[in-house]
Amino acid sequence: MQLHDLGCCHICKLPGRVMGIRVLRFSLVVILVLLLVAGALTALLPSVKEDKMLMLRREIKSQGKSTMDSFTLIMQTYNRTDLLLKLLNHYQAVPNLHKVIVVWNNIGEKAPDELWNSLGPHPIPVIFKQQTANRMRNRLQVFPELETSAVLMVDDDTLISTPDLVFAFSVWQQFPDQIVGFVPRKHVSTSSGIYSYGGFEMQAPGSGNGDQYSMVLIGASFFNSKYLEFFQRQPAAVHALIDDTQNCDDIAMNFIIAKHIGKTSGIFVKPVNMDNLEKETNSGYSGMWHRAEHALQRSYCINKLVNIYGSMPLKYSNIMISQFGFPYANYKRKI
Amino acid sequence: MQLHDLGCCHICKLPGRVMGIRVLRFSLVVILVLLLVAGALTALLPSVKEDKMLMLRREIKSQGKSTMDSFTLIMQTYNRTDLLLKLLNHYQAVPNLHKVIVVWNNIGEKAPDELWNSLGPHPIPVIFKQQTANRMRNRLQVFPELETSAVLMVDDDTLISTPDLVFAFSVWQQFPDQIVGFVPRKHVSTSSGIYSYGGFEMQAPGSGNGDQYSMVLIGASFFNSKYLEFFQRQPAAVHALIDDTQNCDDIAMNFIIAKHIGKTSGIFVKPVNMDNLEKETNSGYSGMWHRAEHALQRSYCINKLVNIYGSMPLKYSNIMISQFGFPYANYKRKI
């Protein structure tokens, strides 16, 4: 059919007709390509090595995973590689874990990447981040490898059971702006206005029944990964305080978060099965909290931080969360 | 000074001068009146009867009280006046209680107003609301006497300790859109799509650890008083269901709230000290739940409500809240 035979509408109809043929051709090509790819995959499946398939599966999963549905474990380690590796064997299998970032504070010593890889395959990627200086606040960097909204931060001597982690993560998903963790602490006011730091052994604040907490320690907790950025943006005096004491990064995080959300910084989840493995290390090194000045430093930090921020932002809470029906019938009255 | 002597500004200055004198006079009068009132009050204080002063204090308090800081106890009662009065003696002294509304379902029998008053003075007002028919849903009316945002609803055989109430109220203040209470229940799905109602004895839903609940019964709970209005606005079929069964008003409330907030209707607070006193009554009457058909009715109600609302709005939760440090050291691990 010639163009001029189509009359005044020929301009309208012609692109349509040509388009129609082009679309048809394009569709056929796409279908053919899809069939070829499908055929290729089916042919290739049985022969792909197990670890390659796992890598492919992990890639697809990590691209599709919503950032709220999984978490990244950040574990800082110093001089207790035996405990670290034992713990990694446990944590690598926890459901909803996306990735592990090991903050390697053993300056000058090579991280065990080769050992780790030789003992693969592993369920999830583990990244060893070699540090240039042994700093407590290294674990609060904004790691480019971190893709999830949630961080699980655990000390390198702390073993938290999987049921505890699965439950606490589900609690964090309901309270994503707070630290959801297993270790509650508090500050107490004294008549002089000087604050002191402690746990249950200290005077319960307020006049009601029971105790209160105003901090949840980050070394066994879930918190929103955006708070790492918040931490980096704090006044230099805060970073200097943490560097001077090699302590108090967790107290600072509680200050930052309480200040930001205007309510209690954390929610305490009572652990069913959480252990400290520090006695099991052969490294001869015990944790920082064994230093003579550790507790006094924590009180010192609280007063310094109040000074830096110009106020006491920590708020008390007495909410303790447990998992309904785990252990079995834990909601029943003990007669 | 005569007006025309003031020149062109006389119009401006005159009101000011006159106003000045008037304001001065007014201030003097006010001061005098205040002094007289103060004097009168001081003179009257020692001679006012104790109950009159209490009434005055209560009036001032109730006008000044924020509606979130106190709650109203609504207790429906049928044929167990001995338990009712025993319970009222306990509940009337609970901190932050604003008022008690007793829903008197003993038709034809006079409510014990006279007895109550003869045993005064009482810490808070107690209103006996004589009902015209013995209906389970009488307790869900929008009572004009109710002034607080929170309702504490308690069955007339349930004794909840004061520490439990004080704590649960503080939890409600943090979650005012949910039922915060002491009795969790759940619905279970079956392969036929028919639902069943029950407690811990039933199959735990989901594949994880522990149990879940999807309802918090209102007969031992705090909830927002606006939900009474919501209840009144429900389809007639819902009210008819409750009237036919003399049951399920609490299940209906959970449906309504879950539907409204799009999340689990309630939060379970584990009671430390809660008792059922039904065995202690001399009335010869035992609670509704002893009827043979009671449990089957509850399952029946769930399916009827799903039918009426066109969906199952209830959502599961496994969050159990306890008070940190009460009883003492309840957060410590049992070894």
Side-chain angles (χ1 to χ4, degrees):
Chain A
M1 194 177 292
Q2 295 192 15
L3 283 175
H4 60 263
D5 284 346
L6 295 169
C8 54
C9 297
H10 75 279
I11 300 297
C12 325
K13 282 193 182 161
L14 181 58
R17 277 223 180 125
V18 172
M19 284 302 288
I21 292 165
R22 283 184 185 165
V23 167
L24 185 61
R25 277 188 194 161
F26 181 71
S27 311
L28 284 169
V29 170
V30 168
I31 291 169
L32 271 171
V33 169
L34 283 173
L35 284 168
L36 278 167
V37 169
L41 281 172
T42 323
L44 283 168
L45 265 171
S47 62
V48 172
K49 284 191 197 143
E50 193 183 85
D51 51 356
K52 276 195 186 163
M53 262 315 278
L54 282 166
M55 277 176 63
L56 181 68
R57 240 186 277 153
R58 274 203 306 264
E59 269 174 43
I60 293 169
K61 253 194 174 173
S62 66
Q63 279 151 23
K65 240 192 234 291
S66 159
T67 60
M68 284 284 288
D69 291 349
S70 61
F71 55 88
T72 305
L73 168 61
I74 296 177
M75 182 173 282
Q76 180 156 278
T77 187
Y78 177 74
N79 216 355
R80 292 190 291 192
T81 309
D82 54 351
L83 293 187
L84 170 76
L85 296 179
K86 182 171 180 166
L87 291 172
L88 286 179
N89 181 61
H90 162 68
Y91 288 115
Q92 69 173 352
V94 173
N96 301 110
L97 176 66
H98 182 244
K99 185 183 288 180
V100 177
I101 294 172
V102 176
V103 184
W104 186 257
N105 268 2
N106 302 304
I107 313 309
E109 182 189 328
K110 243 177 118 240
D113 295 73
E114 279 179 35
L115 175 64
W116 182 260
N117 292 334
S118 73
L119 293 168
H122 297 283
I124 38 82
V126 172
I127 320 281
F128 293 90
K129 303 283 288 186
Q130 200 99 33
Q131 301 301 299
T132 50
N134 177 17
R135 283 206 192 95
M136 186 59 78
R137 61 179 171 99
N138 282 341
R139 60 182 180 173
L140 295 177
Q141 296 172 74
V142 180
F143 301 101
E145 297 88 348
L146 199 152
E147 298 176 61
T148 58
S149 296
V151 167
L152 166 63
M153 187 159 283
V154 185
D155 289 346
D156 66 345
D157 58 3
T158 302
L159 178 62
I160 310 167
S161 77
T162 300
D164 282 318
L165 290 173
V166 169
F167 177 61
F169 182 53
S170 75
V171 176
W172 176 84
Q173 289 173 314
Q174 299 173 61
F175 303 98
D177 57 349
Q178 287 167 293
I179 303 169
V180 175
F182 302 102
V183 185
R185 291 288 184 267
K186 65 175 182 272
H187 70 286
V188 293
S189 263
T190 58
S191 46
S192 58
I194 309 291
Y195 296 101
S196 217
Y197 168 93
F200 67 91
E201 72 289 352
M202 287 208 154
Q203 170 76 39
S207 54
N209 292 307
D211 200 356
Q212 312 244 26
Y213 59 91
S214 58
M215 288 169 276
V216 174
L217 301 189
I218 59 175
S221 78
F222 290 91
F223 59 83
N224 200 309
S225 52
K226 73 184 182 191
Y227 290 134
L228 298 174
E229 291 164 51
F230 280 47
F231 177 81
Q232 294 306 322
R233 294 202 299 259
Q234 294 309 299
V238 174
H239 297 163
L241 174 67
I242 295 167
D243 288 343
D244 290 343
T245 54
Q246 281 285 68
N247 203 342
C248 310
D249 58 330
D250 46 1
I251 298 177
M253 281 292 267
N254 275 272
F255 266 68
I256 294 163
I257 293 168
K259 210 167 148 64
H260 176 70
I261 62 178
K263 51 186 193 196
T264 193
S265 49
I267 298 181
F268 168 51
V269 173
K270 181 179 179 181
V272 173
N273 200 352
M274 181 171 79
D275 285 317
N276 187 302
L277 305 188
E278 58 179 357
K279 290 181 170 45
E280 296 181 27
T281 185
N282 283 326
S283 65
Y285 171 73
S286 57
M288 296 292 278
W289 71 284
H290 289 287
R291 295 173 308 157
E293 65 275 22
H294 182 87
L296 283 169
Q297 271 184 341
R298 312 267 290 160
S299 295
Y300 168 78
C301 284
I302 288 186
N303 290 297
K304 281 286 278 186
L305 287 165
V306 167
N307 201 273
I308 294 169
Y309 288 115
S311 68
M312 164 51 88
L314 301 179
K315 289 187 166 47
Y316 292 113
S317 170
N318 60 359
I319 298 235
M320 179 167 82
I321 293 188
S322 302
Q323 187 175 357
F324 181 70
F326 182 80
Y328 185 74
N330 63 343
Y331 41 73
K332 298 195 89 174
R333 246 175 301 177
K334 305 174 198 343
I335 301 185
Chain B
M1 193 175 291
Q2 296 193 16
L3 282 174
H4 59 263
D5 284 345
L6 296 171
C8 55
C9 297
H10 76 279
I11 300 296
C12 327
K13 280 193 183 162
L14 181 58
R17 275 228 181 121
V18 171
M19 283 302 291
I21 291 166
R22 283 186 184 163
V23 167
L24 184 62
R25 276 189 195 160
F26 181 69
S27 311
L28 284 170
V29 171
V30 168
I31 291 168
L32 271 171
V33 170
L34 283 171
L35 284 169
L36 278 168
V37 170
L41 281 173
T42 323
L44 283 168
L45 267 170
S47 65
V48 171
K49 287 193 195 139
E50 195 182 81
D51 51 355
K52 275 194 185 162
M53 261 317 276
L54 282 166
M55 278 176 61
L56 181 66
R57 239 187 278 155
R58 275 203 305 263
E59 270 176 42
I60 293 167
K61 253 190 170 177
S62 69
Q63 280 150 23
K65 243 193 232 294
S66 158
T67 61
M68 285 284 287
D69 291 348
S70 61
F71 55 88
T72 305
L73 168 62
I74 297 178
M75 182 173 284
Q76 178 156 281
T77 187
Y78 177 73
N79 216 354
R80 290 190 291 193
T81 308
D82 53 351
L83 294 186
L84 171 76
L85 296 178
K86 183 170 180 168
L87 291 172
L88 286 178
N89 180 61
H90 163 69
Y91 288 115
Q92 69 174 354
V94 173
N96 301 111
L97 175 67
H98 182 244
K99 183 183 289 180
V100 177
I101 295 173
V102 176
V103 183
W104 186 256
N105 267 2
N106 302 303
I107 313 308
E109 182 189 329
K110 245 177 118 239
D113 295 73
E114 279 180 35
L115 175 64
W116 182 260
N117 293 335
S118 72
L119 293 168
H122 298 283
I124 37 82
V126 173
I127 321 280
F128 293 90
K129 303 283 288 184
Q130 200 99 33
Q131 301 301 297
T132 51
N134 176 17
R135 285 208 191 92
M136 185 58 77
R137 62 179 172 99
N138 282 341
R139 61 182 178 172
L140 295 176
Q141 297 173 69
V142 180
F143 300 102
E145 297 88 348
L146 198 151
E147 297 176 61
T148 58
S149 295
V151 166
L152 166 64
M153 186 158 284
V154 185
D155 289 346
D156 66 345
D157 58 4
T158 302
L159 179 62
I160 310 168
S161 78
T162 300
D164 281 317
L165 291 173
V166 170
F167 178 60
F169 182 53
S170 75
V171 176
W172 176 84
Q173 289 173 315
Q174 300 174 60
F175 303 98
D177 57 348
Q178 288 168 291
I179 304 169
V180 176
F182 302 101
V183 185
R185 292 287 184 266
K186 64 175 185 272
H187 70 286
V188 293
S189 262
T190 58
S191 47
S192 57
I194 309 292
Y195 296 101
S196 218
Y197 168 94
F200 66 91
E201 72 289 352
M202 289 210 152
Q203 171 77 38
S207 53
N209 291 308
D211 201 354
Q212 311 245 25
Y213 58 91
S214 58
M215 287 170 275
V216 173
L217 301 190
I218 59 177
S221 78
F222 290 91
F223 60 83
N224 199 308
S225 51
K226 73 183 181 189
Y227 291 133
L228 298 174
E229 289 164 52
F230 280 47
F231 177 80
Q232 294 306 323
R233 293 203 299 261
Q234 295 308 300
V238 175
H239 296 163
L241 174 66
I242 295 165
D243 290 343
D244 290 343
T245 54
Q246 281 286 68
N247 202 344
C248 311
D249 58 329
D250 46 1
I251 298 177
M253 282 293 266
N254 275 272
F255 266 68
I256 294 162
I257 293 168
K259 212 168 148 61
H260 175 70
I261 63 178
K263 52 186 190 194
T264 195
S265 49
I267 298 181
F268 168 50
V269 173
K270 182 178 178 179
V272 174
N273 199 352
M274 180 172 78
D275 285 317
N276 188 302
L277 305 187
E278 56 178 359
K279 289 181 172 38
E280 295 178 29
T281 185
N282 283 324
S283 65
Y285 171 73
S286 59
M288 295 293 277
W289 71 284
H290 290 285
R291 296 172 307 157
E293 65 277 20
H294 182 87
L296 284 169
Q297 270 184 342
R298 314 271 285 164
S299 295
Y300 169 78
C301 284
I302 288 185
N303 290 297
K304 282 286 280 187
L305 288 165
V306 167
N307 201 274
I308 293 168
Y309 288 115
S311 67
M312 165 50 88
L314 300 179
K315 289 186 166 46
Y316 292 113
S317 170
N318 60 359
I319 298 236
M320 178 166 83
I321 293 187
S322 302
Q323 186 174 358
F324 181 69
F326 181 80
Y328 185 75
N330 64 342
Y331 42 73
K332 299 195 89 175
R333 245 176 300 176
K334 305 176 199 338
I335 300 183

